[in-house]
Amino acid sequence: MNYLSSISKTVFHTKAWVPAVSSRMSSNCVFCKIVTKETPSNILHEDDQFLVFPDISPAADHHLLVIPKAHIVDIRSLTSADIPLVQTMEQVGLSVLEKAGGDPSTCLTGFHWPLHLVSHLHLHVISPQVVGWRKKIEFSSWLFGNTQSAVKMLENK
């Protein structure tokens, strides 16, 4: 059984997650413009809740972004009630990574915080490893938290 099959029951056959924050789009958000198709992107996956597409400035052979269709500013705007959202984002990203030929067992998933360039929640899925000294700084623990760290942070909110 492949990874996608093993999570399909979890990701694709569960009740839809309802965001705890506003689902309005932001007119000046580049990711909202991708959601509404105003800005073109190579969308690898789309469902009722999420889009997955390659990062425009990849840090590895496979570098995907998973975004909710609802405009949510960032990981710090979420609460403990939103942990299922974060976990589902990771599951969706890992399944798309596998379909694209990446290995979910060797990837890094997580979020930029406290700083980020785009104020729309987005999960990075990077495989097999970050390359280049600038990208290694950008995805270091000073500027980036993995998904498990994000969940732990949210558990305390």
Side-chain angles (χ1 to χ4, degrees):
M1 176 184 296
N2 69 18
Y3 186 79
L4 179 59
S5 298
S6 69
I7 69 161
S8 66
K9 290 181 183 128
T10 305
V11 176
F12 303 109
H13 298 113
T14 59
K15 283 183 149 184
W17 174 83
V18 178
V21 294
S22 171
S23 62
R24 284 187 244 137
M25 296 289 163
S26 173
S27 62
N28 60 351
C29 172
V30 66
F31 288 172
C32 286
K33 289 180 180 183
I34 291 172
V35 169
T36 62
K37 311 296 192 279
E38 290 176 57
T39 298
S41 183
N42 179 18
I43 297 171
L44 303 174
H45 171 84
E46 181 173 7
D47 60 32
D48 292 341
Q49 301 168 0
F50 306 107
L51 287 180
V52 181
F53 50 90
D55 192 298
I56 196 166
S57 178
D61 291 341
H62 298 278
H63 187 164
L64 308 176
L65 297 178
V66 181
I67 66 167
K69 287 185 170 181
H71 183 81
I72 301 169
V73 174
D74 62 18
I75 190 70
R76 294 172 301 156
S77 67
L78 300 178
T79 68
S80 60
D82 300 307
I83 291 172
L85 165 70
V86 172
Q87 293 168 328
T88 302
M89 288 176 73
E90 182 181 50
Q91 291 170 341
V92 169
L94 293 174
S95 71
V96 174
L97 172 67
E98 185 176 55
K99 282 193 234 177
D103 182 357
S105 70
T106 64
C107 76
L108 171 65
T109 65
F111 304 88
H112 283 293
W113 86 79
L115 304 172
H116 48 77
L117 294 177
V118 179
S119 293
H120 185 123
L121 182 67
H122 56 285
L123 172 84
H124 292 265
V125 179
I126 301 169
S127 176
Q129 63 187 8
V130 175
V131 293
W133 66 270
R134 278 193 224 159
K135 292 296 182 181
K136 286 182 180 184
I137 292 170
E138 184 180 340
F139 291 95
S140 71
S141 60
W142 295 309
L143 301 171
F144 186 83
N146 66 28
T147 305
Q148 293 74 24
S149 297
V151 168
K152 284 182 182 177
M153 182 261 298
L154 293 174
E155 286 172 346
N156 296 321
K157 288 181 95 178

